[in-house]
Amino acid sequence: MTADVVRALGALAHEAVHTTATGEPREAPGTACGCPAPVVLADRADGTVVRLGAVVAKAHAPGTDTAALAARLGPAADPGLAGILLPPLPVPSAAGGAGAPYLTALHGRPVTLWPYGEPVDPDDPDRAPWEEAGALLARLHRVGPRPAATPQPVPGPRDGGADRTGSAAPPPMRGPAKAALAVARMRAARPDGPATAPVLAAWAALPAWARDEEPAPAHRIRPLCHGDFHLGQLVRRSAWGGWLLIDIDDLGPGDPAWDLARPAAWFAAGLLPPGIWDRFLAAYRAGGGPAVRADGDPWPELDAAARALTVQTAALALAKCAAERRNPDEVEQVMIDSCARIAALPPELAAAEPS
């Protein structure tokens, strides 16, 4: 099925390259096609991504809530968020994009189209755009409530299916839900064994909202959070004037500390140098980011989310190690060891919540 999805994504991207959103051809009849071959950028359980020239087609994970995804596409397409979120491309009308312009379906999976952008180079960490990322997250977190949109029809699959209606506002940010799924995945992969004990102990010490058992504190909810920020969620083109956030699958209102939590967890574990963390945090604060206080110790606001991301990272590492029948590598072991330190915290510190 994955091969079928990849081929279908390549065909859809090719159609988007050569067709306007209204279904009109971009070139005169008989014009030779100079498109390169499609390239698979990612093929994981959480999504399959294929690039053809300037267009990227993404098949979202099987079982994705299509109505929720349609609602999350709204902010990405909102001109008021230009320069923050990468906007989706309209789906050609012949591919089913007439009713819901940014969403279709292939082989039972929701599919979206996006402009291709240059990602962060993982082999050049000295040029990683940490300051730009901090400023971009601050801008996202300062977005006010958007005007209510008319609910958009969610397309039935291109290969058949009934239409539904997408909600006008995105549902809550999915960060805590993804952490809970990571722990469940670890439990399924390693139902027994001492390696999971510190991870489960650190998980149990988290506040209920960070385990996705109840909503985040009301005073911490912001209109928009990314929900899964890391440097792989940034792309750029010179014509865009800077970096943009991609991957809106987890976007929604929530605690903005979650978007700072992965870098904070790496910093606390010793994987992110203090100088880089300081520059990232300073850029976020300079942009008026509301996740932390304007100066002083940011940890009262970041602690719970950073611990949750530490647990999530360690749980996914242990699940992956079980599937690949190997021991954790050095970085994975650092995060597992961090869970042991979190589990050893006195209960009053582990349960502390900022006011």
Side-chain angles (χ1 to χ4, degrees):
M1 177 60 76
T2 299
D4 293 338
V5 170
V6 167
R7 282 193 294 269
L9 291 175
L12 180 62
H14 183 268
E15 190 173 353
V17 167
H18 290 284
T19 310
T20 68
T22 59
E24 299 298 323
R26 295 185 185 275
E27 299 91 4
T31 303
C33 176
C35 289
V39 176
V40 177
L41 300 181
D43 188 14
R44 304 185 302 267
D46 61 348
T48 302
V49 182
V50 173
R51 176 193 178 190
L52 191 143
V55 174
V56 171
K58 177 176 181 178
H60 299 260
T64 293
D65 183 332
T66 310
L69 177 60
R72 290 184 164 105
L73 284 165
D78 186 341
L81 275 74
I84 301 175
L85 298 173
L86 182 71
L89 295 173
V91 174
S93 57
Y102 301 110
L103 185 60
T104 187
L106 295 169
H107 296 284
R109 295 171 62 175
V111 171
T112 51
L113 293 171
W114 305 87
Y116 175 76
E118 175 192 356
V120 175
D121 185 353
D123 297 324
D124 193 1
D126 292 338
R127 297 184 62 189
W130 285 106
E131 291 94 334
E132 294 91 335
L136 200 57
L137 288 174
R139 291 179 61 195
L140 177 68
H141 295 164
R142 291 175 58 212
V143 170
R146 312 310 299 160
T150 302
Q152 295 296 308
V154 177
R158 194 176 181 180
D159 46 2
D163 289 358
R164 294 183 292 153
T165 299
S167 59
M173 177 266 292
R174 291 187 65 246
K178 293 190 73 171
L181 288 171
V183 172
R185 180 178 167 187
M186 178 191 71
R187 283 177 163 144
R190 307 178 74 122
D192 300 305
T196 63
V199 181
L200 292 173
W203 178 248
L206 291 170
W209 71 265
R211 299 195 304 267
D212 197 38
E213 295 174 2
E214 63 182 40
H219 68 281
R220 297 287 295 159
I221 299 296
R222 302 297 297 181
L224 277 182
C225 302
H226 184 273
D228 188 29
F229 172 74
H230 51 82
L231 289 182
Q233 306 287 30
L234 297 171
V235 296
R236 67 175 177 180
R237 272 191 193 170
S238 57
W240 297 344
W243 295 93
L244 297 175
L245 288 163
I246 63 171
D247 189 357
I248 47 81
D249 293 65
D250 305 307
L251 185 81
D255 185 346
W258 207 275
D259 286 346
L260 278 62
R262 186 176 272 108
W266 293 345
F267 165 66
L271 297 174
L272 186 68
I276 292 178
W277 166 251
D278 289 344
R279 295 200 304 272
F280 170 72
L281 182 62
Y284 181 81
R285 282 172 157 165
V292 296
R293 58 199 67 189
D295 52 41
D297 182 9
W299 220 252
E301 291 83 20
L302 296 179
D303 180 65
R307 286 188 284 125
L309 262 295
T310 301
V311 172
Q312 176 180 323
T313 304
L316 289 175
L318 285 170
K320 185 176 180 181
C321 289
E324 298 174 356
R325 300 182 180 274
R326 62 172 177 82
N327 294 322
D329 62 28
E330 183 178 357
V331 171
E332 292 168 336
Q333 191 62 53
V334 166
M335 300 307 288
I336 296 166
D337 293 343
S338 294
C339 287
R341 291 193 294 274
I342 291 170
L345 287 172
E348 62 272 17
L349 292 180
E353 285 284 345
S355 61

